[in-house]
Amino acid sequence: MRLYAVVAAGGFRRYATYRVATAAGGFTNTVFGFIMAYTYTALWDQRPQLGGYDLSQALTYVWLGQALLMTAAMMGGGFEDELIERIRTGDIAIDLYRPADLQLFWLAGDLGRSAFHLLGRGVVPMALGALAFDLSLPANPLVWVAFLLAVLFGVVVSFAIRFLVALSVFWLLDGAGVARMTFIAGLFFSGMVLPLNVFPGVLGEVARALPWSSLLQVPADIFLGKYAGWGLAGAYAFQIGWAAALLHDPEVLYLDEPTIGLDVISKAKVRDFLRDLNTERGTTVLLTTRDLTDIEQLCKRVMVIDHGRLVYDGALAGLHEVGQSERTLVVDLERELPPVSVDGARVTRVEGPRQWLAFPASVSAAPLVAAVAARYPLADLSVREPDIEAVIAKMYADRSAL
């Protein structure tokens, strides 16, 4: 855990470096806070107690939104842009090879970022809003503690959403579109535009059930005293439930072409990561790929599907038997001789003193080696396993001929 604490502290220091940008951001939050506050004032003058809030509570909601806008990264702007670029370029392979959990590593950095924004861009706008308007500020310090805990859970849910957005680049190669749609949805369904309690009927029920409500609506209602006792526990359970649903450690991992487009070194690191994931955590990895080297190096069980029909399901070694594949015994003789003649093998190629003998993959090489050694002067020999691509190609070709 010390590693992740260091990463979190580094995330805090990283954003603390940009003091001018922080000041400009705080100023922007304050300006928009005033604009929203006067807009809410006009709306609540016409509709008192809208959404169950009086005017003071509604104005408090406005300034809480400005304080949490960057804290919970409702408009993005956290780690996801960097992670998207690392996935797109293949540098993610380096992250997977590190002796640290990928999710926890990025979560720790994002918690450091959110802590800085809460202090750097949240406190000042909130204080100015309290000076300019009559806000409903809790007198009980425990309410403040409960609010900060809800903010923490909201940041974790926000991270989970943005982490999934970044991971979509594994399939889409460009996460810009998904990121934009997600952040627009986040602004609307977090309650940043209007409290979700204002939304009518089914729309309100759906909006309050979505994970984005954990970012602002739930912490704001806790701050305003809408939750207490078991209601407060239920609010926390809602946030924790979404965090657990979005950041779980799956028992089954589905991967489609996980090494496509990667260089040789990156492919090796991704394969090592998946192998360790299966060995150390017991995670079942379901792999669909056209890179048959992935299959040879990772898979214990292979399923071959042809035109929607399962034509093989079993061990990788058994695939060679079904495909009637052959292994190759490469023999280096002491001198050039006529083709070697032994039972159970046939010569497929001769180049000087070197000869290639093919024999069934299901047969042990030991008797063949002994027979060759007994009859011919050997200098060296080696056994080559059959090419998995040739095996599968032969299976498809044989079925096409039927």
Side-chain angles (χ1 to χ4, degrees):
M1 295 303 296
R2 182 176 180 275
L3 169 64
Y4 302 115
V6 171
V7 174
F12 187 98
R13 289 194 302 270
R14 177 182 179 183
Y15 283 87
T17 304
Y18 305 101
R19 297 182 180 88
V20 175
T22 301
F27 175 77
T28 303
N29 287 134
T30 303
V31 170
F32 275 96
F34 275 97
I35 294 173
M36 294 290 291
Y38 286 118
T39 303
Y40 273 42
T41 299
L43 180 59
W44 257 258
D45 282 344
Q46 297 297 316
R47 298 284 300 276
Q49 298 299 319
L50 181 63
Y53 298 144
D54 59 29
L55 178 59
S56 178
Q57 291 174 327
L59 293 174
T60 305
Y61 186 95
V62 167
W63 291 102
L64 286 174
Q66 294 303 315
L68 297 181
L69 178 62
M70 289 302 297
T71 302
M74 291 180 230
M75 297 179 63
F79 70 96
E80 62 276 7
D81 291 338
E82 181 180 355
L83 182 55
I84 285 173
E85 184 63 17
R86 293 186 70 81
I87 295 173
R88 191 186 64 80
T89 60
D91 289 342
I92 187 65
I94 299 173
D95 298 336
L96 294 174
Y97 211 59
R98 288 172 177 161
D101 184 271
L102 182 69
Q103 282 187 153
L104 286 178
F105 182 87
W106 288 97
L107 174 59
D110 198 55
L111 288 176
R113 175 205 62 78
S114 64
F116 172 77
H117 281 311
L118 181 62
L119 297 174
R121 293 186 59 173
V123 172
V124 173
M126 188 71 184
L128 292 175
L131 290 174
F133 299 93
D134 179 23
L135 303 186
S136 296
L137 301 179
N140 188 346
L142 292 179
V143 175
W144 288 87
V145 174
F147 164 71
L148 291 176
L149 186 58
V151 170
L152 173 62
F153 292 150
V155 170
V156 174
V157 173
S158 171
F159 167 83
I161 295 171
R162 289 174 290 129
F163 189 76
L164 291 177
V165 168
L167 293 187
S168 70
V169 180
F170 276 114
W171 292 269
L172 303 177
L173 301 183
D174 183 1
V178 175
R180 290 192 183 97
M181 289 188 292
T182 303
F183 299 149
I184 291 172
L187 279 177
F188 185 76
F189 289 112
S190 66
M192 188 65 196
V193 179
L194 274 175
L196 301 183
N197 298 339
V198 174
F199 291 7
V202 176
L203 176 60
E205 295 295 329
V206 171
R208 287 188 290 273
L210 293 175
W212 289 287
S213 64
S214 299
L215 279 57
L216 173 57
Q217 185 67 57
V218 172
D221 281 343
I222 291 175
F223 188 88
L224 294 172
K226 300 296 183 180
Y227 293 110
W230 285 110
L232 179 60
Y236 286 153
F238 174 81
Q239 292 179 297
I240 294 172
W242 269 115
L246 298 173
L247 286 178
H248 67 297
D249 188 7
E251 295 182 2
V252 180
L253 183 63
Y254 296 89
L255 296 176
D256 181 26
E257 304 283 3
T259 60
I260 189 171
L262 299 181
D263 58 61
V264 175
I265 296 176
S266 297
K267 283 185 178 182
K269 290 180 177 178
V270 169
R271 289 168 184 155
D272 287 343
F273 169 75
L274 294 175
R275 193 179 297 110
D276 292 343
L277 191 66
N278 174 257
T279 303
E280 297 175 5
R281 299 190 181 182
T283 303
T284 299
V285 180
L286 185 60
L287 188 69
T288 59
T289 179
R290 289 168 291 180
D291 188 339
L292 299 182
T293 307
D294 288 345
I295 296 175
E296 290 182 302
Q297 295 194 13
L298 295 173
C299 299
K300 300 175 183 177
R301 178 181 174 188
V302 178
M303 302 174 71
V304 180
I305 299 174
D306 182 25
H307 290 87
R309 296 180 59 188
L310 183 65
V311 298
Y312 177 78
D313 181 2
L316 181 61
L319 184 63
H320 295 298
E321 297 179 11
V322 172
Q324 299 180 347
S325 57
E326 295 180 319
R327 291 195 285 175
T328 302
L329 179 66
V330 182
V331 177
D332 288 321
L333 304 174
E334 293 181 351
R335 60 185 181 276
E336 187 173 344
L337 293 175
V340 170
S341 177
V342 291
D343 293 336
R346 57 186 177 85
V347 176
T348 60
R349 182 179 171 189
V350 177
E351 288 185 4
R354 174 170 293 185
Q355 300 190 23
W356 286 259
L357 286 76
F359 64 99
S362 57
V363 175
S364 171
L368 180 60
V369 171
V372 173
R375 300 182 188 180
Y376 299 93
L378 279 180
D380 194 10
L381 57 83
S382 61
V383 177
R384 295 181 181 175
E385 296 299 323
D387 184 2
I388 187 69
E389 292 190 7
V391 175
I392 293 180
K394 186 175 183 301
M395 289 181 65
Y396 283 132
D398 292 343
R399 292 188 63 82
S400 298
L402 296 178

